[in-house]
Amino acid sequence: MTNSELSKYKSVLEAKQTDLTRLVRNREGIVIKTSPDALDEVQHATDREMAIGNLVRDSNLLRNVRRALRDIEEGSFGVCLHCEEDINPKRLAAVPWTPFCIQCQEIADRSQVDGVDNLDELLVGAA
Ligand SMILES: [Zn+2]
């Protein structure tokens, strides 16, 4: 990958990092609200559940964005974290923070576990 490509990815990732940091810091949606109205309570609980879901998703994404930025610094950007093959440039252009090539991602998605930590275990289980 050329330096100009790398710096382009870096600025995309930095912008994403700024966005996500702001979203993750905003905890307003997960504050427990009480209401004398039972229906309101149900609505609050639903909203809160959704806000927590978003927060988990954004935190995971932020972790991937930070890792990608670190990879750029260390010169290992664009390499699949699992199989160590180059990630397809089209995939990288669409999701520059992805830690995996498409094959490894499919295995991770099938297992429906979001996160890098368990992937090795999952892949061992899938083999
Ligand atoms: Zn891979």
Side-chain angles (χ1 to χ4, degrees), residues 5-19 65 69 72 77 92-97:
E5 279 174 315
L6 272 178
S7 65
K8 193 186 73 193
Y9 279 122
K10 194 175 175 202
S11 59
V12 170
L13 286 162
E14 279 170 347
K16 191 79 184 167
Q17 180 175 241
T18 308
D19 277 1
V65 168
L69 283 166
I72 287 178
F77 178 72
L92 215 51
V95 272
W97 48 83

Side-chain angles (χ1 to χ4, degrees), residues 80 82-85 100-101 103-104:
C80 174
H82 183 258
C83 68
E84 297 181 353
E85 297 287 332
F100 303 121
C101 71
Q103 286 87 353
C104 295

Side-chain angles (χ1 to χ4, degrees), residues 5-81:
E5 279 174 315
L6 272 178
S7 65
K8 193 186 73 193
Y9 279 122
K10 194 175 175 202
S11 59
V12 170
L13 286 162
E14 279 170 347
K16 191 79 184 167
Q17 180 175 241
T18 308
D19 277 1
L20 287 168
T21 304
R22 193 170 41 79
L23 286 172
V24 168
R25 281 196 187 137
N26 181 8
R27 300 291 165 97
E28 207 179 300
I30 65 168
V31 173
I32 298 172
K33 293 175 195 151
T34 51
S35 167
D37 187 329
L39 273 178
D40 276 358
E41 290 267 343
V42 171
Q43 186 59 46
H44 287 325
T46 311
D47 289 350
R48 185 164 180 269
E49 219 161 275
M50 219 164 73
I52 291 173
N54 287 340
L55 192 63
V56 168
R57 198 198 51 209
D58 291 340
S59 306
N60 284 335
L61 196 54
L62 181 59
R63 196 179 52 187
N64 282 335
V65 168
R66 288 201 180 121
R67 183 204 40 79
L69 283 166
R70 200 178 55 225
D71 287 351
I72 287 178
E73 298 303 322
E74 291 173 358
S76 56
F77 178 72
V79 176
C80 174
L81 210 61

Side-chain angles (χ1 to χ4, degrees), residues 63-64 67 81 99-100 113-121:
R63 196 179 52 187
N64 282 335
R67 183 204 40 79
L81 210 61
F100 303 121
V113 173
D114 194 15
V116 179
D117 305 326
N118 295 316
L119 189 70
D120 270 310
E121 217 179 299

